Amino acid sequence: MSAILFGSISTVADTSELQRHAFNLAFEDHGLQWRWSRDDYLAMLEKSGGRSRISEYADSVGETVDAPAIHATKSQLFQEMLRNGRVVPRPGVVETIKEAKDKGVRVGLVTTTSRENISALIEALAPDVQAGDFAVIVDASAVEQPKPDKAAYTFALQSLGEDQHQCVAIEDNEDGAQAAAAAGLRWVAFPNENTAGQSFASNGKRVNELKFDELQAMIGGGAQPITDPSDTGLEQNNNAAAAG
């Protein structure tokens, strides 16, 4: 194993419920009578993209809103919540990063969120997690297409000069797992509080805590890396499902 690629900020710290609360506060700030319950949000998480969630919800309730402005407010509120120290690293994350560094395995953060969200998260988790822990950090500005497109992972692999067959991706949602599969990566499902009900693919490994040795074992042989997302069952799951 030459690299471990964390696929979202919620694979490092569980920020999903903070994101939902930030959305609801942003709606209040913009004078909207919207409130997304946890059940509402769980359904929306079946697809990636916070701004698109706002637009799609507005269409569903017959309202016209400035989705980019609302999303910008939500992002600012979310970053303030992070800086107030309301998050901690997820189980095994700090230990996995440390062992990777000790053994010469590179670590990446491959997201399609904003650089500001990433910076706020790392600031909140310091000194347990620091920017210098990551050999590459991919954010929304690096690629044109969000996940489930493979662009973010392709960008990361090219930046690192790594062979996808020697890397493991860690994902917390089905869109992310599909993106990793499309890039030819082995991946592990590490669902967060609000994506725990997603099925992922039957042939994907699912964990509640990260362990370096288990990730390394995924590269040691066995199943060949998945290169066609339709082979994972994820495409069918996403189409059957419906949307931080």
Side-chain angles (χ1 to χ4, degrees):
M1 179 171 66
S2 60
I4 298 170
L5 305 176
F6 287 84
S8 74
I9 60 175
S10 276
T11 60
V12 180
D14 195 340
T15 63
S16 188
E17 272 295 276
L18 282 186
Q19 301 243 29
R20 182 176 71 86
H21 291 310
F23 273 115
N24 285 333
L25 290 173
F27 300 152
E28 290 180 18
D29 284 357
H30 286 264
L32 296 169
Q33 301 300 310
W34 298 359
R35 184 160 190 84
W36 288 351
S37 69
R38 187 158 181 256
D39 286 344
D40 293 333
Y41 197 55
L42 292 182
M44 294 174 188
L45 288 175
E46 290 169 358
K47 289 184 181 178
S48 298
R51 188 180 301 177
S52 62
R53 287 186 199 116
I54 296 170
S55 298
E56 290 172 6
Y57 186 79
D59 290 342
S60 74
V61 297
E63 295 189 44
T64 300
V65 300
D66 187 342
I70 297 169
H71 190 259
T73 300
K74 174 262 173 184
S75 295
Q76 182 179 7
L77 291 165
F78 174 63
Q79 290 156 26
E80 290 172 0
M81 290 177 182
L82 288 175
R83 292 190 175 101
N84 286 335
R86 296 173 62 180
V87 293
V88 295
R90 295 186 64 190
V93 165
V94 173
E95 294 83 0
T96 295
I97 292 174
K98 182 181 185 304
E99 192 161 359
K101 292 172 68 176
D102 289 346
K103 295 186 175 179
V105 174
R106 301 163 92 185
V107 179
L109 181 57
V110 186
T111 82
T112 48
T113 192
S114 69
R115 175 64 64 157
E116 292 77 13
N117 282 351
I118 294 170
S119 296
L121 177 75
I122 291 174
E123 180 181 332
L125 295 179
D128 293 326
V129 178
Q130 304 181 53
D133 292 333
F134 300 101
V136 64
I137 296 177
V138 182
D139 61 50
S141 68
V143 294
E144 294 183 1
Q145 296 298 323
K147 298 173 184 179
D149 192 278
K150 66 181 181 180
Y153 278 116
T154 299
F155 181 90
L157 290 167
Q158 290 175 345
S159 297
L160 292 171
E162 294 288 358
D163 178 350
Q164 71 268 32
H165 299 159
Q166 295 301 315
C167 304
V168 175
I170 301 165
E171 277 291 354
D172 66 344
N173 64 80
E174 290 184 357
D175 270 5
Q178 185 174 340
L185 292 158
R186 290 183 172 88
W187 56 269
V188 59
F190 189 36
N192 64 52
E193 179 182 4
N194 282 340
T195 59
Q198 294 186 10
S199 60
F200 295 90
S202 59
N203 58 344
K205 183 177 178 62
R206 185 183 182 114
V207 300
N208 295 317
E209 178 181 357
L210 294 183
K211 295 181 180 179
F212 180 87
D213 290 347
E214 291 182 358
L215 297 175
Q216 190 172 46
M218 294 176 69
I219 299 299
Q224 292 299 307
I226 301 162
T227 56
D228 182 353
S230 65
D231 289 343
T232 68
L234 288 171
E235 185 173 37
Q236 180 178 357
N237 287 343
N238 282 334
N239 291 339

